[in-house]
Amino acid sequence: MLYTGIKVLVTAVLVVAISEVAKRSTLFGGILASLPLTSLLAFIWLYGETGDAAKVASLSYNIFWYVLPSLVLFIVLPLLLARGFDFWLSLAIACAATFAAYTLMSLLLARFGVTL
């Protein structure tokens, strides 16, 4: 239980730190947020708990394929905001578009025989 609490605390501190940096500089906040820190933490936590490098490799492979559709969020959200859409509506539409992109990616991967 303590280990889980430490994982949650480290992850939360990371997210808060990035948002605090972004208040001062969206450029540096964007750079920090774009780093695969969450993935790195997941690799560390997974390997630390299982000692299974194959599971880490599989997780990394799966992340690769699903990073691509996640980029939809970062395209749709600023486009909608720049056109004057309300923030919450823009965020909801961007999330829905990202979900659609994830679904499409899953279908495409299955169609081309990529197993995750």
Side-chain angles (χ1 to χ4, degrees):
M1 187 69 157
L2 177 62
Y3 183 65
T4 301
I6 291 170
K7 290 186 339 185
V8 169
L9 182 63
V10 168
T11 305
V13 166
L14 182 63
V15 171
V16 170
I18 291 170
S19 71
E20 289 300 314
V21 168
K23 285 180 190 176
R24 292 162 183 71
S25 169
T26 56
L27 173 64
F28 290 121
I31 290 169
L32 282 175
S34 71
L35 294 172
L37 298 172
T38 304
S39 297
L40 291 173
L41 286 174
F43 298 152
I44 292 166
W45 301 143
L46 180 61
Y47 186 77
E49 292 173 13
T50 67
D52 188 343
K55 281 190 178 198
V56 174
S58 179
L59 176 61
S60 179
Y61 182 72
N62 291 331
I63 289 170
F64 167 78
W65 286 110
Y66 287 105
V67 162
L68 301 173
S70 74
L71 298 175
V72 169
L73 177 77
F74 304 105
I75 295 167
V76 173
L77 183 61
L79 287 175
L80 293 173
L81 292 172
R83 285 176 173 67
F85 281 73
D86 173 73
F87 169 78
W88 294 109
L89 178 60
S90 298
L91 188 59
I93 293 169
C95 287
T98 303
F99 178 78
Y102 277 116
T103 302
L104 179 61
M105 178 60 88
S106 294
L107 294 171
L108 286 172
L109 290 172
R111 171 111 167 99
F112 289 102
V114 176
T115 57
L116 302 178

